[in-house]
Amino acid sequence: MTRDLPRYHAAVWDEPVVLELGRPGRRGFLAPEPEPDVRADVDALLPPGVRREAPPALPELSEFEVQRHYLHLAQMTLGMMGINLFGTCTMKYNPRVNERVTARPELAEVHPGQPEETLQGVLEVVHRFERILRELSGMERFVFQPGGGADAAYTHACITRAYHASRGELERRTEVITTIQTHPCSAATAAAAGFDVITLPLGPDGYPTLESLKAAVSDRTAALMVGNPDDMGIYNPEIKQWVEAVHEAGGLCFYDHANFNGVMTRIRARELGFDACMYMLHKTFAGPKGGGGPAVGAYGCAEHLVPFLPRPLVEERDGRYGLDHDGPQSIGRVREYWGNVPVVVKAYSWVRALGAEGLRQAADLSVIANNYMETRLLEIPGVTKSHPQIAAHRLEMTRYSLEQVTEETGIDVHDIQNRMVDYGVDAPWLAHEPWLIPQPITPEPGELWSKEDIDTWIDVLAAVVQEAHDDPERVRTAPHNQAIHQVDASGVDDPDQWATTWRAHLRKRAAA
Ligand SMILES: Cc1ncc(COP(=O)(O)O)c(C=O)c1O
């Protein structure tokens, strides 16, 4: 049943960037003068060569102006609260309580370089969370240094090198096997670590055949790096045989567990035979997004790979916690200190709030929600799903194709994306490269959204598909109700136009 669609129009402010606001001398906060002892310490510790000659060119604003500026910006976005069903790796709501927990001074005001005796609380949380992941995966140890999923894949690629080098086999083991539907970070990081990459194509069941894997495996195989279920929600039921085939040839097996949500508490990577795995704390575990830097790709491995892990490891002895830096075979750090510890604390807080039962319910709910959504989405004329011949239910997401809609109306998924946001819902995420399925979308409801929200999102898509037939121009020229309309992205590829800092922008503008 189609209900009333949300009525929405974003606020439109002609808002300058913050660096263009304010006036010299305006203040929101006056920092007190440092005490003489502190001043003397700073003078002694900071060599003259690194001291600024002039204050930084920061905008000078009152507190009120700062608040107003960010309120205006917030009013012009959906703020990830417009019902976002971003598929391919579970973008979740970040509960506010987790922000409160990490803002506590015991965490926010400590530094990882402090003496360990003064870091007992935070070390305990990191250690406890590691034990939770060990339970969920069956792995022996975890590290939280990688700043995202791709960083964790890179950690594995480096550990693969170190492991085979330690056995005198690195020169021979030059190949990493992956699949076309595994996230490209596996292939990319294997190549970055110096391996040749073999990418297996899909078979008729939506995953590569076991025969194709066996044909690729040889004594040159260094590792298999694979995601399961893949970004189409298809689970490879032969995965144990895959792992066995790679192990028989002496290779390692790495499990990209970014799509863990639907199988949480139901399968353990180690029990499937994997040597190592990766979880996204910024996705499955409800931490804030931001791959590749401000996030955490938790990397776990079995006993035989522990010597190669980045150090330090957090150890517990008689109720006290410490950092073990001793790792002569370690690959070294993949980032500073122990990684983004606040994200670890948020993930810990989320897991403790749910408990073991709650995690299982979340997994089951995410699968039920997806299958409910699949039933309704396939009722929309022109919406089909990938590999319809597969009888098994998809897990936490399903890949659909809007190819028929495009053929009948000329409207493609980007147009539909632009039009959906006019109804105040977040449009589907389209990072589905390579587009094996034409005009793909992969909404993923997870466990969070209510049935009404899921229904609203589906109703919006149905309405936009109908509009594509009735008034294609309205869809092609969308968005109409957003603060800005279609963005001209051509400058993104032009180094004369883009600038990554305000100073670079001013320099380029002056030169132009
Ligand atoms: C299945 C899968 N693996 C790995 C990644 C890479 O993770 P990150 O963006 O945190 O580097 C993603 C991200 O989209 C993903 O979907």
Side-chain angles (χ1 to χ4, degrees), residues 19-284:
L19 290 130
E20 289 176 328
L21 289 171
R23 284 174 172 221
R26 197 165 285 171
R27 290 284 176 276
F29 169 72
L30 281 178
E33 282 297 315
E35 291 156 27
D37 286 357
V38 175
R39 173 97 258 163
D41 275 356
V42 171
D43 286 344
L45 289 171
L46 221 53
V50 302
R51 292 185 206 162
R52 284 183 181 280
E53 283 166 13
L58 294 173
E60 297 175 62
L61 290 94
S62 67
E63 181 176 321
F64 179 76
E65 286 169 313
V66 173
Q67 294 284 357
R68 185 170 54 198
H69 174 67
Y70 287 106
L71 176 70
H72 286 178
L73 295 186
Q75 287 171 338
M76 290 197 282
T77 75
L78 288 170
M80 291 287 284
M81 295 304 298
I83 313 180
N84 58 78
L85 312 183
F86 292 139
T88 86
C89 71
T90 322
M91 297 294 198
K92 270 188 194 171
Y93 173 71
N94 314 139
R96 288 299 165 253
V97 64
N98 300 347
E99 303 299 322
R100 290 290 289 272
V101 171
T102 37
R104 289 180 64 96
E106 295 91 329
L107 187 76
E109 290 174 14
V110 294
H111 188 281
Q114 283 177 211
E116 282 166 16
E117 317 79 82
T118 66
L119 294 171
Q120 287 299 304
V122 61
L123 284 170
E124 180 175 351
V125 170
V126 172
H127 189 262
R128 281 176 177 226
F129 187 64
E130 187 193 342
R131 277 175 38 202
I132 290 170
L133 293 192
R134 279 155 57 177
E135 181 63 29
L136 286 171
S137 63
M139 293 295 165
E140 182 68 18
R141 294 303 312 249
F142 271 83
V143 287
F144 303 115
Q145 270 185 32
D151 271 15
Y154 182 64
T155 304
H156 183 74
C158 294
I159 286 181
T160 300
R161 284 181 64 89
Y163 171 79
H164 291 305
S166 75
R167 298 155 63 92
E169 294 186 4
L170 184 59
E171 282 199 6
R172 173 160 59 85
R173 296 198 178 269
T174 53
E175 293 174 354
V176 167
I177 302 173
T178 186
T179 75
I180 190 76
Q181 267 302 134
T182 292
H183 191 273
C185 72
S186 278
T189 54
F195 293 106
D196 299 328
V197 178
I198 299 176
T199 304
L200 303 179
L202 301 186
D205 292 328
Y207 49 86
T209 60
L210 187 55
E211 291 66 43
S212 70
L213 172 80
K214 286 185 175 164
V217 169
S218 72
D219 62 357
R220 293 185 304 280
T221 303
L224 168 74
M225 295 176 75
V226 72
N228 193 32
D230 66 17
D231 279 355
M232 303 193 298
I234 297 177
Y235 187 83
N236 176 353
E238 294 171 343
I239 197 69
K240 261 187 154 171
Q241 287 114 290
W242 278 48
V243 171
E244 279 162 21
V246 173
H247 280 167
E248 269 167 31
L252 295 173
C253 295
F254 167 72
Y255 197 158
D256 174 345
H257 239 324
N259 295 325
F260 184 53
N261 212 48
V263 294
M264 252 181 333
T265 75
R266 298 252 172 227
I267 57 173
R268 285 197 176 95
R270 187 65 186 136
E271 285 170 8
L272 292 173
F274 282 91
D275 305 283
C277 71
M278 174 276 280
Y279 297 119
M280 308 266 220
L281 304 193
H282 48 305
K283 293 177 182 173
T284 315

Side-chain angles (χ1 to χ4, degrees), residues 260-266 357-371 395-396 446-447:
F260 184 53
N261 212 48
V263 294
M264 252 181 333
T265 75
R266 298 252 172 227
E357 264 310 303
L359 282 185
R360 173 156 290 193
Q361 279 179 12
D364 293 353
L365 270 174
S366 74
V367 176
I368 292 168
N370 182 46
N371 281 278
L395 291 174
E396 81 295 0
E447 70 277 9

